[in-house]
Amino acid sequence: MTARALVIAVCAAVLVAATPVRGQDQPVFLASADAATVIRALLTAPTLVDYEGTKILTALRGQRAETVTILESYKRSGKLRLEFLSPESASGRLIVDDGASSWHYEPSRHIVMRGPSFVTAQPAVDPAAILSRYDAMVLGNEQVIGRQTVVLSLQPRGGGLVKRLWVDQATGVVLRTEERDPSGELLFSSLFSRISYSLNLPSALFRFHLPAGARIFSFYVSGDPITDPQELSRQAKFALRAPIVLAGLRFRSGTVARHGALTAVTAQYTDGVGVVSVFQTPASRMAMPEVGATVALRGMQGRWLDLGYFRILMWQSGGVSFAAIGTLPLHTLVTIAEELNAAAR
Amino acid sequence: MTHARVQRQLSALLDNELTADEAQELRAHLETCARCREELERLQGLKRLLGAVQDRTPPAQLWDDLWRRVDAPAPGTVAGLLETIRAAFRRPALATAAAAVVLMLVAFPLVRGRIDRLRAAEIGPDLFVREHALAAATDPFADRAYLGLLVSDVNLVLIGERRERGEELR
């Protein structure tokens, strides 16, 4: 090896060592990026970065704020391991999602619940769709746990939760989030109190090992997704209301969910980013749930259940029990109810 | 020759159905046995009495009626069932039991349907939260860890395990 080649090799090694870890992709530096660039970076991060860290979640449930501490490990693309540290009632709970199935182990009951994956490595979301639905704005740069982040604000144009995201400038991983209702009340927050990036977390970490003697419950309650509303109506076997467009949202897919005595047909609608689910089941097979507060709809009464992160509006019309659930404000869910009731008339 | 055997043969003797040897043997026994002679006299009296009874001629249409019933088609399933039910109701205990079974067969689906409807209302919101949390995984801004927590919490409720953190949907 010549001296010149040696110098080049040493320089290359120094350059690689100095490069912030971002999977096998080139690093991004978002310090002076616009909102669209930041959004693109955070959308692609799950396909590029492995990490493990300690995350603190705080969610408002009814009148009570609940704080949960979790060891979160993520492996690209779409593998997740969650170990719950607190509160005590959830301590020791383990969730392993290998991208195809999720396994929940509850140590206090020594049971395992198996169901479909809830991790999507690369959401099929177009950054342009986000920009058309939200007023996106970069508020500046801040440090979170010693890492430089860019602060992104997302205000939904149709109303709903206002999001603020602290995006790691080097990796695109969201290190901190806040979601507030339009009145400014904080409904949900998350914060990594520690994070380590890795080029390649071991695959064994994302394989679930069944504890000896644990009881297993299978929770594959939903059928395959159906993308044709007419086919969904055929499978429902009752007069389903599944318009293509509902309150400005487009039909995405539907399923038939069955658990015990309840069979419900779900139709999911999206604005290109978020999702609203509308559940329908014949009223002869499901009474009106006695939960939440009474709310007046046009010509009828419904029930409104505010779970903080999710909100549910339930009502009965034309012999069908309905429930609409999402992170949308009440008035949007009421619009959904009125449009569905009008479709029946 | 035993008395039992003699008494079985007395009727045959009166009807001249014994062989010559059997008849001779029986008569020899009768000469020495007063008890069997007495039995023979009783049978002779009975035979005389039956012989005095006059034959009665059956009604002329009896055979016609019999053949008509023989040739008639078998009763249908419903008619047969009704006949069986009628027969059952002639016995009060059986009728009561049958009525109880019918009542249970009718009432059970109604009661069960009502229980299922109430149970569906009870688990409905939990199932909706679960299914929506899974659907919301495609939302790039949804927190995966929180979705996982929601799904596992609701799964515990759906398998009948109580929440401990006072998280009932109220």
Side-chain angles (χ1 to χ4, degrees), chain A residues 43 51 55 59 61 64 66 68 72 84 87 89 93 95 104 109 111 113 118 120 123 154 165 188 190 219 221-222 252 259 261-262 268 273-275 277 279 283-287 289 291-292 305 307 309-310 323 325-326, chain B residues 113 115-125 127-156 158-159 161-167 169-170:
Chain A
L43 287 179
Y51 65 78
K55 186 187 258 185
R61 286 190 171 191
R64 201 169 46 80
E66 180 184 48
V68 183
E72 179 175 322
F84 291 80
S89 59
R93 186 182 297 182
I95 298 178
H104 303 197
R109 271 73 163 192
I111 55 177
M113 295 167 286
F118 58 90
T120 306
L154 293 164
L165 310 173
F188 178 80
S190 74
F219 269 96
V221 300
S222 303
R252 184 177 77 175
H259 181 80
L262 176 59
Q268 280 134 15
V273 184
V275 181
S277 300
F279 295 85
S284 59
R285 290 189 216 148
M286 179 180 159
V291 291
L305 188 60
L307 301 176
Y309 200 65
F310 290 153
I325 176 169
Chain B
I115 290 171
D116 283 353
R117 190 169 176 267
L118 294 173
R119 175 71 183 142
E122 197 178 308
I123 64 173
L127 185 70
F128 301 158
V129 168
R130 181 200 133 79
E131 292 298 294
H132 179 71
L134 292 172
T138 57
D139 183 340
F141 302 125
D143 190 283
R144 292 182 291 244
Y146 191 61
L147 292 181
L149 177 68
L150 283 176
V151 170
S152 62
D153 268 353
V154 169
N155 282 350
L156 280 172
L158 290 174
I159 63 171
E161 298 286 349
R162 285 185 55 195
R163 289 180 173 90
E164 288 183 349
R165 305 201 295 275
E167 297 162 2
L169 303 177
R170 293 187 194 284

Side-chain angles (χ1 to χ4, degrees), chain A residues 62-327:
Chain A
Q63 299 300 312
R64 201 169 46 80
E66 180 184 48
T67 299
V68 183
T69 311
I70 306 166
L71 283 180
E72 179 175 322
S73 306
Y74 177 81
K75 182 178 177 60
R76 65 184 188 282
S77 293
K79 293 185 170 72
L80 184 70
R81 180 186 179 93
L82 304 170
E83 297 173 59
F84 291 80
L85 304 179
S86 70
E88 193 175 345
S89 59
S91 178
R93 186 182 297 182
L94 172 67
I95 298 178
V96 176
D97 193 314
D98 60 12
S101 296
S102 64
W103 303 80
H104 303 197
Y105 175 59
E106 181 61 36
S108 62
R109 271 73 163 192
H110 199 40
I111 55 177
V112 171
M113 295 167 286
R114 180 174 175 244
S117 169
F118 58 90
V119 178
T120 306
Q122 191 164 22
V125 175
D126 183 2
I130 295 174
L131 292 169
S132 69
R133 290 288 172 184
Y134 291 90
D135 284 325
M137 193 163 43
V138 172
L139 300 178
N141 299 319
E142 281 185 17
Q143 276 210 340
V144 175
I145 52 169
R147 298 190 64 88
Q148 281 297 323
T149 65
V150 56
V151 186
L152 180 70
S153 166
L154 293 164
Q155 182 135 15
R157 292 188 175 144
L161 301 185
V162 179
K163 303 175 201 299
R164 191 169 287 191
L165 310 173
W166 282 257
V167 182
D168 191 319
Q169 289 183 9
T171 63
V173 172
V174 178
L175 297 181
R176 180 182 169 191
T177 63
E178 280 183 4
E179 298 192 18
R180 295 176 185 271
D181 70 11
S183 70
E185 185 176 16
L186 184 64
L187 295 181
F188 178 80
S189 72
S190 74
L191 169 69
F192 274 106
S193 61
R194 175 191 67 81
I195 192 164
S196 300
Y197 294 105
S198 168
L199 281 176
N200 200 5
L201 285 174
S203 296
L205 200 58
F206 302 92
R207 277 196 293 270
F208 182 75
H209 300 282
L210 188 68
R215 282 185 299 155
I216 301 179
F217 294 88
S218 186
F219 269 96
Y220 282 93
V221 300
S222 303
D224 293 330
I226 301 162
T227 53
D228 178 10
Q230 290 184 338
E231 176 57 25
L232 187 63
S233 296
R234 270 193 292 277
Q235 293 204 12
K237 296 175 182 168
F238 65 90
L240 186 78
R241 294 173 221 170
I244 300 289
V245 178
L246 183 62
L249 307 169
R250 289 194 67 79
F251 178 85
R252 184 177 77 175
S253 64
T255 53
V256 180
R258 292 185 178 87
H259 181 80
L262 176 59
T263 298
V265 179
T266 320
Q268 280 134 15
Y269 290 85
T270 180
D271 60 358
V273 184
V275 181
V276 173
S277 300
V278 177
F279 295 85
Q280 299 179 47
T281 193
S284 59
R285 290 189 216 148
M286 179 180 159
M288 191 68 179
E290 296 295 323
V291 291
T294 304
V295 62
L297 301 173
R298 195 175 293 170
M300 66 184 68
Q301 280 199 332
R303 285 200 168 260
W304 166 245
L305 188 60
D306 190 346
L307 301 176
Y309 200 65
F310 290 153
R311 290 114 187 259
I312 311 177
L313 179 65
M314 293 171 282
W315 73 100
Q316 290 186 330
S317 165
V320 177
S321 290
F322 291 89
I325 176 169
T327 54

Side-chain angles (χ1 to χ4, degrees), chain A residues 4-33:
Chain A
R4 189 178 169 194
L6 188 64
V7 169
I8 291 171
V10 168
C11 288
V14 168
L15 205 62
V16 167
T19 299
V21 175
R22 190 163 194 268
Q24 293 163 342
D25 198 35
Q26 294 298 311
V28 290
F29 296 98
L30 302 172
S32 56

